[in-house]
């Protein structure tokens, strides 16, 4: 599973880099960095979440801008130089958006299952960080954001829960594999 997922993600990165290179090159030429795009993505993501349940049209507009900037920041980073700060900055801003999206959902829909899903998501992300980004994980932000844009909120948070729980299972499995491999 892990190898297939990593292979798919790497293919996706290469395809984006190839297809979007011409779009991103002018940004590089004027001095815009990948971290600038990550910051713009983060701000647009926060604005989108602000409009979630308030103004669906604005939520969709800012959500799409957020996802667009998030998709091209990595392309620009690969065109220039990928930095450790940039990797962490991108990772943590995406996680904050995911947690804020589920938190706002809980505050509005007031369903206790959403807080459980939020906890699963936080546990999944924490295990990934504490494993030095080595344990397998399936990220949920883009999928949930798109489902919310399609106005299928309940399906969106249930999908988040299922994917997060599945990621926890993958991570625990990886932990046990490593423990067995290290036994004398």
């Amino acid at each position: 599973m892990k190898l297939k997922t990593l292979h798919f993600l790497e293919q996706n990165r290469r395809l984006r880099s190839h297809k979007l290179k011409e779009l991103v090159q002018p940004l590089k030429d004027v001095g815009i960095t990948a971290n600038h795009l990550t910051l713009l993505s983060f701000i647009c993501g926060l604005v989108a979440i602000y409009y979630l349940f308030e103004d669906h049209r604005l939520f969709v507009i800012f959500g799409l801008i957020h996802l667009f900037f998030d998709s091209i920041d990595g392309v620009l980073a690969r065109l220039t130089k990928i930095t450790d700060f940039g990797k962490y900055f991108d990772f943590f801003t995406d996680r904050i958006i995911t947690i804020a999206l589920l938190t706002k959902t809980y505050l509005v829909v007031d369903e206790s299952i959403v807080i459980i899903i939020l906890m699963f998501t936080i546990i999944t992300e924490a295990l990934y960080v504490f494993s030095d980004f080595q344990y397998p994980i399936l990220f949920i932000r883009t999928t949930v954001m798109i489902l919310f844009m399609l106005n299928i909120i309940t399906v969106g948070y249930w999908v988040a829960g299922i994917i997060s729980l599945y990621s926890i299972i993958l991570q625990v499995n990886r932990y046990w594999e490593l423990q067995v491999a290290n036994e004398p």
Side-chain angles (χ1 to χ4, degrees), residues 95 98-99 102-103 112-129 136-140 157-172:
R95 303 304 60 89
T98 303
I99 291 167
L102 290 172
T103 301
S112 55
I113 191 64
V114 180
I115 200 77
I116 294 168
I117 291 166
L118 179 59
M119 286 189 282
F120 282 161
T121 302
I122 292 169
I123 290 167
T124 300
E125 303 291 349
L127 289 172
Y128 186 64
V129 169
I137 188 170
L138 298 173
F139 297 115
I140 62 171
Y157 63 73
W158 275 102
V159 165
I162 292 166
I163 293 173
S164 293
L165 185 58
Y166 181 66
S167 288
I168 291 171
I169 292 167
L170 289 175
Q171 292 169 329
V172 168

Side-chain angles (χ1 to χ4, degrees), residues 4-19:
K4 288 180 184 177
T5 302
L6 290 176
H7 182 68
F8 170 77
L9 292 174
E10 186 55 37
Q11 281 184 320
N12 187 295
R13 280 186 195 107
R14 285 187 196 146
L15 179 65
R16 271 189 319 211
S17 290
H18 176 72
K19 296 289 185 185

Side-chain angles (χ1 to χ4, degrees), residues 9 43 45 79 82 110 114 133 163 175:
L9 292 174
I43 291 167
L79 268 179
I82 297 174
D110 197 28
V114 180
F133 306 98
I163 293 173
Y175 172 80

Side-chain angles (χ1 to χ4, degrees), residues 81-174:
K81 180 184 176 198
I82 297 174
T83 65
D84 285 339
F85 173 79
K87 284 192 278 189
Y88 287 107
F89 185 47
D90 183 59
F91 174 80
F92 284 106
T93 57
D94 289 351
R95 303 304 60 89
I96 291 168
I97 294 299
T98 303
I99 291 167
L101 186 66
L102 290 172
T103 301
K104 172 115 185 217
T105 302
Y106 170 71
L107 293 172
V108 172
V109 300
D110 197 28
E111 294 282 335
S112 55
I113 191 64
V114 180
I115 200 77
I116 294 168
I117 291 166
L118 179 59
M119 286 189 282
F120 282 161
T121 302
I122 292 169
I123 290 167
T124 300
E125 303 291 349
L127 289 172
Y128 186 64
V129 169
F130 292 131
S131 75
D132 290 327
F133 306 98
Q134 298 302 309
Y135 288 1
I137 188 170
L138 298 173
F139 297 115
I140 62 171
R141 191 247 358 226
T142 303
T143 303
V144 173
M145 185 80 83
I146 290 170
L147 289 170
F148 280 26
M149 286 179 196
L150 296 172
N151 218 7
I152 355 179
I153 306 298
T154 305
V155 172
Y157 63 73
W158 275 102
V159 165
I162 292 166
I163 293 173
S164 293
L165 185 58
Y166 181 66
S167 288
I168 291 171
I169 292 167
L170 289 175
Q171 292 169 329
V172 168
N173 184 51
R174 181 68 180 142

